Amino acid sequence: MVVCPPMNDATFLQACRREPTAYTPVWLMRQAGRYMPEYRALRERVPFLTLCKTPELAAQVTVQAVERLGVDAAIIFADILLIVEPMGVGLEFSKGDGPVIHRPVRSGADVDGLRDVAPAESVGFVFESVKLARTGLPEHIPLIGFSGAPFTVASYLIEGGSSRNYVETKRFMYSDPGAWRALMERLVRVITAYLNEQIAAGAQAVQLFDSWVGCLSPADYRAFILPHMQTLMRGITPGTPVIHFGVETGGLLELLVEAGGDVIGVDWRLDLDLAWQRIGSQHAVQGNLDPVTLFAPQAEIRRQAERVLRSVAGRPGHIFNLGHGILPQTPVDNVIALVDMVHEMSAKKLPSVAS
Ligand code: 1CP
């Protein structure tokens, strides 16, 4: 895919490539969502899945968040579970409880029974949303496409919804490694095609959300996840930056790097500079303010954002973000203030804490 200036000079893409930027680019996971009154008003009229499947609305929500917040990148409005619905598992978003999968995958036979439909046919609405959002965004604002990573998507398929301890997922993985491999291979094929279609439709970068992979031991990650992530990463259209994100990955950082991605997402449980030392200088980093900081007085938000900026000491390749998504009750004014603070403070090129 050809990326032309001024897009090529977008601070977000420069940071993905570890080039120096005039200021630190910032976007926020879940920047379009329930904390925004405009979004809540729309959701009163339209159910969540309908919203995702109506490209004009999904694109509108994507663009609206950028306009409201002044962030340096957009993320397409969609969900990591959209790709599992066409597999025939019965996806529902029930009010308050998050996603529900009515026919969870619990055996090798269940894996074999999953419908195999190409994303181009089954979730074409996402690619249509990408095209429309691309048209609606200012031409210098990159659009991030995304997918859940195989483990995190599999955890919903197997558990049937959210989980605390991932007992069913791990039971499946340990007791039928052949079926686990078949499931991972199936998800890798679908996710690769899904991301590449988003790129072809106009996304300038992609993020893999492996949100729940932090529940695994390093040994299990290496045995059950790493080879599949490596296959997935190799299949993504070359030249498109890939952000690899997970929560509570302090025990897995080096393995995430080995799995691949140009930018490694880090949550707030780690000091960003120490995490970056472990990740290595060949990668950019994204993070890592605690999303709950946004409930604090603005002076405290400023202090914490400054701490994050100082810790990376102006090294090229930092994309400011939260360590996980914005929470539904977050005050919008604080989110807008954070984006302004990051721009203002990073443009001054703060010295490191050590100096
Ligand atoms: O309006 C509503 O009530 C639905 C809430 C909602 C929204 C706004 C869901 C249900 N999904 C989304 C959109 C969404 N999901 C986006 C685009 C918005 C943006 O970032 O601007 C993205 C990137 C996601 C990704 C997603 N969905 C993840 C990975 C990110 C993360 O938070 O770790 C996960 C785990 C999901 C599953 C999911 N979908 C919805 C909910 C409430 C959940 C989480 C449930 C759980 O905790 O297991």
Side-chain angles (χ1 to χ4, degrees):
M1 182 185 155
V2 184
V3 182
C4 313
M7 180 56 84
N8 205 35
D9 299 332
T11 51
F12 167 81
L13 292 174
Q14 288 176 324
C16 289
R17 299 191 298 259
R18 289 178 290 111
E19 294 167 7
T21 52
Y23 57 86
T24 303
V26 49
W27 72 280
L28 304 167
M29 289 184 274
R30 297 288 181 105
Q31 65 192 21
R34 280 175 296 183
Y35 77 101
M36 267 199 180
E38 298 91 324
Y39 176 83
R40 283 200 305 273
L42 183 60
R43 279 281 285 104
E44 270 171 34
R45 297 191 281 117
V46 189
F48 177 66
L49 267 180
T50 311
L51 173 47
C52 292
K53 292 178 182 180
T54 312
E56 293 73 20
L57 293 179
Q60 177 194 315
V61 171
T62 304
V63 175
Q64 188 174 275
V66 172
E67 287 171 347
R68 189 80 199 266
L69 303 178
V71 283
D72 299 289
I75 181 160
I76 192 65
F77 190 83
D79 192 77
I80 64 162
L81 295 173
L82 295 177
I83 55 165
V84 308
E85 196 185 29
M87 295 178 183
V89 292
L91 171 69
E92 192 191 335
F93 284 90
S94 59
K95 220 177 166 65
D97 298 330
V100 179
I101 283 167
H102 291 294
R103 291 176 292 284
V105 174
R106 294 281 166 88
S107 67
D110 291 343
V111 177
D112 294 340
L114 291 173
R115 266 191 257 140
D116 206 351
V117 201
E121 280 125 60
S122 59
V123 287
F125 52 86
V126 174
F127 315 127
E128 205 47 48
S129 304
V130 169
K131 281 186 199 150
L132 288 179
R134 189 56 274 162
T135 317
L137 284 166
E139 60 173 0
H140 64 283
I141 297 288
L143 175 60
I144 304 168
F146 74 90
S147 174
F151 175 80
T152 292
V153 174
S155 79
Y156 285 97
L157 279 175
I158 297 168
E159 304 287 339
S162 309
S163 178
R164 186 183 270 281
N165 294 313
Y166 304 93
V167 173
E168 295 304 330
T169 309
K170 292 185 185 182
R171 194 210 305 273
F172 188 113
M173 195 170 83
Y174 297 138
S175 47
D176 196 343
W180 175 262
R181 195 179 325 115
L183 178 58
M184 287 290 107
E185 287 172 357
R186 172 78 73 96
L187 289 172
V188 166
R189 277 205 307 281
V190 171
I191 292 167
T192 308
Y194 182 59
L195 289 174
N196 288 342
E197 292 281 350
Q198 292 182 63
I199 294 165
Q204 280 69 47
V206 291
Q207 173 152 327
L208 274 163
F209 283 95
D210 213 349
S211 304
W212 313 139
V213 79
C215 74
L216 294 177
S217 69
D220 283 348
Y221 187 94
R222 188 174 280 290
F224 294 103
I225 312 299
L226 182 63
H228 306 292
M229 287 299 289
Q230 288 175 325
T231 308
L232 170 54
M233 295 285 187
R234 277 196 299 270
I236 298 173
T237 308
T240 311
V242 178
I243 307 166
H244 187 177
F245 168 77
V247 181
E248 293 191 78
T249 54
L252 301 176
L253 267 192
E254 291 79 1
L255 285 161
L256 258 61
V257 172
E258 207 176 322
D262 304 281
V263 183
I264 305 294
V266 176
D267 84 9
W268 66 95
R269 295 170 182 89
L270 297 171
D271 284 330
L272 195 54
D273 51 338
L274 298 180
W276 207 348
Q277 278 173 29
R278 288 171 57 195
I279 289 165
S281 57
Q282 296 309 302
H283 290 79
V285 295
Q286 178 173 280
N288 73 340
L289 193 72
D290 181 346
V292 177
T293 309
L294 289 169
F295 292 82
Q298 289 190 5
E300 178 63 13
I301 298 174
R302 188 178 185 88
R303 203 183 62 77
Q304 298 237 10
E306 185 173 345
R307 179 181 51 73
V308 171
L309 288 170
R310 278 188 194 279
S311 78
V312 300
R315 257 171 294 177
H318 175 219
I319 298 160
F320 194 102
N321 206 315
L322 304 174
H324 201 181
I326 301 180
L327 294 164
Q329 313 300 329
T330 305
V332 183
D333 288 349
N334 286 356
V335 181
I336 297 170
L338 171 67
V339 173
D340 287 345
M341 288 172 196
V342 171
H343 284 155
E344 178 223 313
M345 291 192 288
S346 63
K348 286 193 207 144
K349 297 278 178 245
L350 295 164
S352 79
V353 248
S355 63

